[in-house]
Amino acid sequence: MDYVTQIIDPPPSRNQLLWSGVRALRKPKLDGPPTLPKERLVRSAVELSTAGIAAYGRACGFRREQGVPLSYPHMLAFPLHLMLLTHPSFPYPASGMVHLANRIRQHQRLEEGQALRLEVYCERWVAHPKGQALSIATRAYSAGALVWESDSLYLRRDIASPVGEPWGDALPLETQGLARTQRWVLPADLGRRFARVCGDYNPIHTSVIGARLFGFRRAIAHGMWTLGRALAAQQPPGGLDIAQAHCDFKLPIFLPGQVALWNAPATGPRREFEVRNFAGDKPHMRGLFIWTAR
């Protein structure tokens, strides 16, 4: 597919993103299958700043000796995701799009102060059993080399005839062997606090009233906070060279609340895990984290 590159410097402000979201609440009814947006959004030099990494670390529980968190570049690229989902060329309203899964791959060590070129684009439609899904690609380059990448799957529910290849990338996990390793107590304002770090001010995360407008009884935690918190509990000290993380988001986490991290027995630099409710009978996220040991 031929993309049209748009350089986004400086990045959009919070108010610009919110206004774009309001304008995208309604879209014309589709006459035929959806078309993939052709925009490739680029930020030419985004710094892995010490202050930004520290704020993200405080929000998710990372320690400085763990180096740049594996999930951190996603936070830098997320405003570009919002720009694509609220762009006039995107065929569905941005509200109601559900983040289903994330696949992250890091190809070389990231360092504080390093500048990344971020490229974000709609990669492909995916036919999901619950509706029409879309994969958004994020690619990060340093000195011309691909150093980090992710693919984020978003779902529009209740689309009768979704297009694209069938979704077949769900994480398998033998849940019987998992043991509870941590308990997390989540405050009511977690969504607002994380929004200030990641830029995702979706009202389902920041407001009880906003959450109820979209069918939730209370505000829910960001899925990417859940992934970040789980990786913070498992990322080794000393930083990462080559690593990957896969996660499938399951049931929402209501705020305030308590959840727990459940792990399979560790096999070297490989962790299989779930975030569940404290009782352990309802999954919120399933994940896999692998890194190359030094």
Side-chain angles (χ1 to χ4, degrees), residues 118-129:
L118 297 178
E119 300 186 2
V120 175
Y121 53 93
C122 296
E123 186 174 37
R124 60 192 172 96
W125 294 115
V126 177
H128 193 276

Side-chain angles (χ1 to χ4, degrees), residues 159-216:
I159 302 298
S161 300
V163 300
E165 292 293 322
W167 171 245
D169 196 25
L171 273 175
L173 181 62
E174 180 51 63
T175 59
Q176 296 301 316
L178 270 64
R180 186 167 58 200
T181 54
Q182 290 190 7
R183 182 185 73 161
W184 307 335
V185 179
L186 312 183
D189 66 344
L190 176 63
R192 295 189 292 276
R193 288 161 49 187
F194 190 63
R196 289 193 288 270
V197 174
C198 73
D200 182 0
Y201 286 89
N202 189 324
I204 65 173
H205 303 305
T206 60
S207 163
V208 173
I209 295 174
R212 287 176 178 170
L213 288 174
F214 290 95
F216 299 101

Side-chain angles (χ1 to χ4, degrees), residues 257-274:
Q258 293 188 49
V259 296
L261 178 66
W262 294 67
N263 283 92
T267 54
R270 177 187 176 96
R271 300 291 183 269
E272 295 180 89
F273 60 93
E274 279 191 344

Side-chain angles (χ1 to χ4, degrees), residues 11-28:
S13 67
R14 172 190 172 186
N15 287 338
Q16 287 174 316
L17 289 172
L18 289 174
W19 176 237
S20 296
V22 171
R23 289 187 301 175
L25 285 173
R26 291 187 178 183
K27 290 291 180 77

